[in-house]
Amino acid sequence: SAVISQKPSRDICQRGTSLTIQCQVDSQVTMMFWYRQQPGQSLTLIATANQGSEATYESGFVIDKFPISRPNLTFSTLTVSNMSPEDSSIYLCSVARDTFGEQYFGPGTRLTVT
Amino acid sequence: TQLLEQSPQFLSIQEGENLTVYCNSSSVFSSLQWYRQEPGEGPVLLVTVVTGGEVKKLKRLTFQFGDARKDSSLHITAAQPGDTGLYLCAGPSGGGNKLTFGTGTQLKVEL
């Protein structure tokens, strides 16, 4: 397993501003993932972050809006840029471990944009 | 794109009742995982099923992988309020350890 922490746990931001979310893992991992989730609904993958290379974004998500850093094997950040109320959501990071790619998640960051 | 449809979407039951959650796809998956998510937390892995027809038990929870590896089910016996949460199935897709998550089942167990 892996222990993952995220900061901040929640925030309320004004439209047009940016927020950087941090994800820290207690062990070295190759791949980290960033998801978005509406409360009570399923997860949507934003991007996959590998150390030492550019993040790979899923359809509908772009680097200018969600820049990601991965400076080492235990840490990553996701920035939500130029926020609008539509960006209000829960943002989760995860890492893949074990044989079948099972993922371990951080507690999430609940973002509200006003 | 491999899709995973879960049913029901919502389930509200009384303590002590039994329930089954279904996870269906038109695609074959090499394995399927089940997660439970409680409010304010990230999803937590419950089990991975790998072999078609496999049945795994975790206390009062029974997981089954379909023979054709296109579907899975989660059965809870004598549900308790602590079982309340969002249940998600997920399967590997797209390579690179990426997962496709199911549509989710929100379960509420009341006293």
Side-chain angles (χ1 to χ4, degrees):
Chain A
S1 64
V3 177
I4 303 169
S5 59
Q6 283 185 236
K7 290 181 183 179
S9 58
R10 58 176 61 228
D11 207 341
I12 301 173
C13 302
Q14 292 195 341
R15 71 171 65 211
T17 63
S18 297
L19 176 72
T20 296
I21 302 168
Q22 299 178 8
C23 179
Q24 180 76 51
V25 188
D26 67 342
S27 57
Q28 295 184 340
V29 293
T30 303
M31 302 179 72
M32 297 179 74
F33 304 88
W34 286 98
Y35 291 86
R36 186 167 70 182
Q37 181 185 34
Q38 293 298 322
Q41 296 186 22
S42 190
L43 282 69
T44 300
L45 181 64
I46 297 171
T48 302
N50 290 331
Q51 193 269 335
S53 63
E54 293 278 336
T56 303
Y57 290 83
E58 298 299 304
S59 176
F61 298 96
V62 295
I63 188 172
D64 289 346
K65 175 67 176 177
F66 297 101
I68 288 171
S69 77
R70 184 78 203 276
N72 57 54
L73 290 172
T74 64
F75 187 79
S76 179
T77 67
L78 169 76
T79 299
V80 186
S81 303
N82 188 25
M83 288 183 286
S84 66
E86 292 70 37
D87 294 320
S88 297
S89 192
I90 299 167
Y91 292 85
L92 295 145
C93 67
S94 75
V95 302
R97 302 291 294 272
D98 301 339
T99 307
F100 300 102
E102 293 91 337
Q103 293 188 9
Y104 297 87
F105 288 84
T109 296
R110 183 179 287 260
L111 170 63
T112 302
V113 183
T114 60
Chain B
T1 303
Q2 295 174 296
L3 299 176
L4 286 166
E5 295 283 341
Q6 289 183 234
S7 61
Q9 184 178 359
F10 299 99
L11 194 53
S12 181
I13 61 173
Q14 297 294 312
E15 183 180 19
E17 292 184 25
N18 302 331
L19 67 115
T20 301
V21 177
Y22 299 93
C23 173
N24 294 296
S25 176
S26 58
S27 304
V28 175
F29 283 86
S30 57
S31 62
L32 278 179
Q33 303 158 24
W34 284 92
Y35 295 81
R36 179 171 64 210
Q37 184 179 22
E38 298 181 20
E41 302 291 333
V44 174
L45 178 70
L46 295 174
V47 79
T48 302
V49 286
V50 179
T51 306
E54 180 178 10
V55 176
K56 280 191 174 178
K57 293 193 174 185
L58 186 65
K59 296 183 180 178
R60 294 176 293 101
L61 279 61
T62 301
F63 304 85
Q64 186 163 6
F65 200 10
D67 291 340
R69 291 185 287 128
K70 291 183 178 182
D71 57 89
S72 181
S73 64
L74 158 60
H75 182 80
I76 301 179
T77 302
Q80 298 177 1
D83 296 325
T84 294
L86 177 67
Y87 288 81
L88 295 160
C89 62
S93 69
N97 281 332
K98 290 200 301 186
L99 293 177
T100 292
F101 279 86
T103 50
T105 296
Q106 186 72 54
L107 170 65
K108 184 175 183 180
V109 182
E110 298 181 289
L111 292 169

